[in-house]
Amino acid sequence: MARDRLSVAQARRTALAAQGFADRRPAAAPSMTHLKRVIGRTRLLQMDSVNIAARAHFMPLYSRLGPYDPDLLHRAAWQPGRGRRLLVEYWAHEAALIPVSDWPLFRWRMDEFAEGRYRHTREVLRRNRSLVDDVRSVIETVGATTPRAIEAELGIEREPGAAGSWWQRGEVKHLCEAMFAAGDLSAVRNGNFVRHYDLTERVVGRDTVALRPGRAEAHRELVSRAAQALGVATVADLADYYRIRPADARPAVAELVESGVLHEISVDGWRDPAYLAADAPMPRRIDAAAILSPFDPLVFFRPRAERLFGFHYRIEIYVPEHKRVHGYYVLPYLLGTDIVARVDLKADRKNATLLVLGAYCEPGHSRDVVAGRLSADLRTFAGWLGLDGVEVAGRGDLAPDLQRMMHGG
């Protein structure tokens, strides 16, 4: 019998299980099968270029599987070799890796972005429509390539620092971005996170490109996927997962309720109605311990993180240093069913050390217990990053306890 009410504790366990935190971690080295299992839970990996510790798209796999070979993700998304490409990049939540089979579900967004995603890009496209065919022709001939290489093929020269130079603004880059947003081009990344643009049919396959689900059908499918990934969620949560307008998400939610895919319920303390995925598991206990990316789908919608975990979280990368509360690149720490701490981390690759610039315990949790578990997980994390050790600075109420644990206290 479907439930009609959940406590916050039940909602947490449901959400964590939906995101894969109740799954047993691999006993041996994680394989492509394990990667597929995680993607089956999260449905997407948000991407980000910041590499202060580890790039965001590599972290959700680590948080759920433990140390794994990053080459798994490279093979799944960018270097499939003789295997089948599993993931492709598109504007899903933000820039994200999604299953190739989900790519057609964003055709409606590609139609909206037919003239480019951003105003300046649209302006560049209007000025340079005749160049679009030239860009496509180069890519068709040479394969996946960069805007700079396309410029070289077209004989476009840009003098570094030339004030007012028409090409100094990188119009070819903007055109590639516009064509990517419209679905005409796709992209693969190299080891330095540089996009190489290619014809979409060569990345996702002609059969996938040919699929064109209707807008309402796509919204319904995406909301269903979001519901499976979240377990229990409000309309706002479901809409945010793939950045669908709430006005478009509501009819999809209503259809999914009518068909039995979702059940409308209430969660203690939540103002808005919630929706429970019909087959969402609710384990009696979850023993997860995980360092999370700021862009992990468990927490990337900040209102949900606060409502579900009582965790007020803002990333402070763009906050002036003197105004930051916790630090530049702060990662939440999940222990059991609670987010119990946050740590400001930096990989000092020159000195092979993971720097803990700040460590803060969340209210109501034992600093001794948290420091004991977190210290071990930081050592493991450092090892996965190829670093030799961990150094804890003095900032934050958890730092002294963490320093003591690191020194065997």
Side-chain angles (χ1 to χ4, degrees), residues 90-92 105-119 122 125-126 177-178 180-183 212 215-216 219 222 242-245 247-248:
Y90 191 64
W91 297 109
L105 295 177
F106 294 92
R107 277 294 194 179
W108 59 275
R109 181 164 287 161
M110 295 170 196
D111 290 342
E112 289 185 351
F113 291 165
E115 298 295 308
R117 187 179 186 219
Y118 301 110
R119 181 181 59 82
R122 292 192 292 270
L125 181 62
R126 283 194 291 268
E177 284 293 301
F180 173 84
R212 289 183 172 272
R215 182 186 181 95
H219 286 161
L222 290 172
Y242 290 106
R243 295 292 168 87
I244 299 171
R245 297 181 187 94
D248 291 324

Side-chain angles (χ1 to χ4, degrees), residues 269-335:
W270 290 18
R271 181 188 63 188
D272 297 326
Y275 297 88
L276 180 68
D279 56 353
M282 186 193 299
R284 292 181 179 274
R285 181 181 177 87
I286 291 180
D287 295 318
I291 299 168
L292 304 173
S293 162
F295 307 107
D296 192 289
L298 184 67
V299 296
F300 62 24
F301 188 41
R302 309 308 189 206
R304 175 179 168 82
E306 189 159 2
R307 189 180 345 109
L308 190 60
F309 296 103
F311 184 65
H312 179 78
Y313 186 40
R314 300 290 183 272
I315 192 163
E316 299 179 274
I317 289 175
Y318 303 111
V319 176
E321 185 173 0
H322 69 280
K323 292 185 177 180
R324 291 176 192 147
V325 176
H326 296 106
Y328 178 79
Y329 200 70
V330 178
L331 290 79
Y333 181 57
L334 174 72
L335 188 60

Side-chain angles (χ1 to χ4, degrees), residues 104-352:
L105 295 177
F106 294 92
R107 277 294 194 179
W108 59 275
R109 181 164 287 161
M110 295 170 196
D111 290 342
E112 289 185 351
F113 291 165
E115 298 295 308
R117 187 179 186 219
Y118 301 110
R119 181 181 59 82
H120 181 66
T121 300
R122 292 192 292 270
E123 292 173 354
V124 172
L125 181 62
R126 283 194 291 268
R127 292 198 303 265
N128 296 279
R129 287 194 185 278
S130 62
L131 191 58
V132 169
D133 289 340
D134 294 332
V135 169
R136 183 179 178 87
S137 179
V138 169
I139 294 173
E140 190 170 9
T141 301
V142 306
T145 191
T146 66
R148 281 285 190 179
I150 294 170
E151 290 173 358
E153 288 286 333
L154 295 175
I156 297 169
E157 296 183 3
R158 286 196 287 134
E159 297 180 12
S165 170
W166 197 66
W167 286 105
Q168 185 62 27
R169 296 187 298 274
E171 267 77 355
V172 168
K173 170 65 174 175
H174 283 288
L175 293 179
C176 287
E177 284 293 301
M179 296 167 74
F180 173 84
D184 298 327
L185 298 181
S186 191
V188 295
R189 303 268 184 170
N190 66 10
N192 294 321
F193 200 63
V194 175
R195 264 183 183 166
H196 286 62
Y197 296 90
D198 202 352
L199 303 182
T200 300
E201 55 264 31
R202 292 203 293 225
V203 177
V204 305
R206 291 185 182 273
D207 291 345
T208 300
V209 170
L211 298 173
R212 289 183 172 272
R215 182 186 181 95
E217 177 189 354
H219 286 161
R220 185 171 58 252
E221 289 297 321
L222 290 172
V223 170
S224 178
R225 282 158 172 72
Q228 296 296 321
L230 294 171
V232 58
T234 65
V235 169
D237 300 335
L238 295 168
D240 178 79
Y241 208 77
Y242 290 106
R243 295 292 168 87
I244 299 171
R245 297 181 187 94
D248 291 324
R250 289 190 191 97
V253 169
E255 289 185 35
L256 293 169
V257 169
E258 185 176 357
S259 63
V261 174
L262 296 179
H263 299 298
E264 184 174 346
I265 63 167
S266 59
V267 176
D268 292 345
W270 290 18
R271 181 188 63 188
D272 297 326
Y275 297 88
L276 180 68
D279 56 353
M282 186 193 299
R284 292 181 179 274
R285 181 181 177 87
I286 291 180
D287 295 318
I291 299 168
L292 304 173
S293 162
F295 307 107
D296 192 289
L298 184 67
V299 296
F300 62 24
F301 188 41
R302 309 308 189 206
R304 175 179 168 82
E306 189 159 2
R307 189 180 345 109
L308 190 60
F309 296 103
F311 184 65
H312 179 78
Y313 186 40
R314 300 290 183 272
I315 192 163
E316 299 179 274
I317 289 175
Y318 303 111
V319 176
E321 185 173 0
H322 69 280
K323 292 185 177 180
R324 291 176 192 147
V325 176
H326 296 106
Y328 178 79
Y329 200 70
V330 178
L331 290 79
Y333 181 57
L334 174 72
L335 188 60
T337 58
D338 295 319
I339 295 178
V340 299
R342 60 188 89 198
V343 283
D344 183 16
L345 300 182
K346 179 179 181 179
D348 180 356
R349 295 176 175 88
K350 180 179 180 180
N351 295 303

Side-chain angles (χ1 to χ4, degrees), residues 85-105:
R85 188 186 308 277
L86 300 176
L87 303 173
V88 64
E89 180 179 348
Y90 191 64
W91 297 109
H93 180 74
E94 288 292 327
L97 292 170
I98 57 173
V100 170
S101 58
D102 284 359
W103 185 89
L105 295 177

